[in-house]
Amino acid sequence: MKLKTIIHEAEEGGYWAEVPAIPGCATQGDTFEELLQNLYEAIEGCLSVPSEG
């Protein structure tokens, strides 16, 4: 599965990212590598939550 992510440099250092296709799915990391690891975990967590409706 491919998902578009938007990666930003944080003003205080490090990075943060959001996944527009999954509302509320965002994460951060002190390094780019940490951000990627956290991003995979965040996406997995967001997709494992049952949707309402």
Side-chain angles (χ1 to χ4, degrees):
M1 172 188 298
K2 292 184 180 183
L3 292 169
K4 179 180 178 179
T5 60
I6 301 173
I7 298 173
H8 309 270
E9 287 190 47
E11 291 181 17
E12 63 278 358
Y15 302 90
W16 69 278
E18 57 188 317
V19 184
I22 307 173
C25 188
T27 191
Q28 62 86 35
D30 291 330
T31 65
F32 190 77
E33 291 76 20
E34 182 181 8
L35 173 70
L36 290 180
Q37 182 177 347
N38 292 344
L39 191 55
Y40 285 117
E41 292 174 7
I43 291 169
E44 184 178 339
C46 289
L47 293 178
S48 68
V49 174
S51 62
E52 296 179 26

